[in-house]
Amino acid sequence: MNLNKLWITILLAGMLVLTACSDNNDKEAVAEENSSTEAKNQDTSDSEAASVDKGLFNVEVTIPASMFEGEDLDTVIVDAEAEGIKAAKNDDGSVTYKMSKSKHKEMLAEIKQSIIDSIEEMKTSGDFVSVKDITHNNSFTEFTMVVDKTTYENSMDGFASFALGIGGMMYQMYDGVDPDEYKVNILIQDEETNDVFDEILFPDDMNE
């Protein structure tokens, strides 16, 4: 797995993952009305969800097929094995990575650093002129964007929250959080007054 490209993968795959989650929610709603389709919808949901199995010595991470749109899975597997991670293609197009606990810890650390580096770029690149600071908790389930409120409300800087939400959800995915429990809360705080004037919850607000 080429972790140097991970943040780019996060941003490109994020819409696909959110779309898959939205589709699965719709299917589950239909299943509640028609019990005969419940098992089928559950199977479809499971095939799109990442899973992490933390054993005594090793960790298995299964990434859904939607994360590999447009990629050659044989190359994905070769790249992973070059990083010391065993990888196997599954019949549904997903890929299962098997690694030591220390390697999994290293992988999460690299993902974390990629997100932190991207946050720093958001703050300093000038692409989001209203953003003055971004803080977060250790699990990336909550971010606070400190902004110039007037500039923020008259710009497209809200897109920064999308990148934060996707990054937080991807970190949770690789950390083994149940897909039904992915939550990232983005607080928008006015630099001048310290008041939180907006709050965005991922993925809920993306599905409305």
Side-chain angles (χ1 to χ4, degrees):
M1 187 190 314
N2 190 340
L3 293 177
N4 293 328
K5 298 179 180 177
L6 182 60
W7 185 244
I8 295 174
T9 302
I10 285 172
L11 294 178
L12 292 178
M15 283 301 294
L16 293 170
V17 173
L18 288 174
T19 299
C21 290
S22 177
D23 288 345
N24 290 333
N25 287 339
D26 291 342
K27 290 175 181 176
E28 288 169 3
V30 172
E32 290 176 357
E33 296 177 2
N34 186 350
S35 59
S36 65
T37 62
E38 183 174 356
K40 179 180 179 181
N41 286 332
Q42 184 63 47
D43 290 343
T44 302
S45 178
D46 290 345
S47 70
E48 287 296 335
S51 66
V52 177
D53 180 15
K54 297 180 180 179
L56 185 60
F57 300 108
N58 297 308
V59 177
E60 289 190 2
V61 180
T62 299
I63 306 302
S66 57
M67 287 290 289
F68 301 103
E69 290 274 340
E71 293 193 50
D72 180 359
L73 291 186
D74 290 330
T75 300
V76 169
I77 290 173
V78 168
D79 289 344
E81 293 182 347
E83 299 280 347
I85 301 171
K86 293 182 180 180
K89 292 184 289 186
N90 301 314
D91 292 340
D92 61 0
S94 63
V95 173
T96 296
Y97 298 106
K98 185 176 182 179
M99 67 199 81
S100 65
K101 284 194 170 183
S102 62
K103 190 68 179 180
H104 182 247
K105 184 176 180 179
E106 177 186 330
M107 181 185 72
L108 284 176
E110 291 193 31
I111 295 171
K112 182 175 184 177
Q113 190 59 52
S114 294
I115 296 174
I116 291 172
D117 290 346
S118 296
I119 288 173
E120 190 62 29
E121 185 175 352
M122 288 181 201
K123 290 159 52 177
T124 61
S125 67
D127 293 334
F128 302 102
V129 294
S130 72
V131 176
K132 306 303 179 183
D133 195 17
I134 300 173
T135 61
H136 57 86
N137 62 6
N138 288 334
S139 58
F140 298 109
T141 58
E142 182 170 293
F143 296 82
T144 299
M145 287 176 51
V146 181
V147 303
D148 178 284
K149 182 178 180 181
T150 301
T151 305
Y152 177 85
E153 291 180 335
N154 290 281
S155 70
M156 301 296 287
D157 288 0
F159 281 114
S161 67
F162 173 80
L164 296 175
I166 295 301
M169 289 174 63
M170 293 301 110
Y171 182 84
Q172 292 173 61
M173 180 181 77
Y174 280 89
D175 195 30
V177 176
D178 189 308
D180 291 334
E181 297 179 4
Y182 292 166
K183 296 293 179 186
V184 181
N185 199 29
I186 315 291
L187 305 176
I188 313 299
Q189 181 178 1
D190 182 11
E191 180 188 34
E192 183 176 354
T193 66
N194 290 327
D195 290 337
V196 173
F197 64 90
D198 197 8
E199 187 172 351
I200 305 165
L201 182 63
F202 287 81
D204 299 40
D205 289 345
M206 293 299 299
N207 293 330
E208 292 181 355

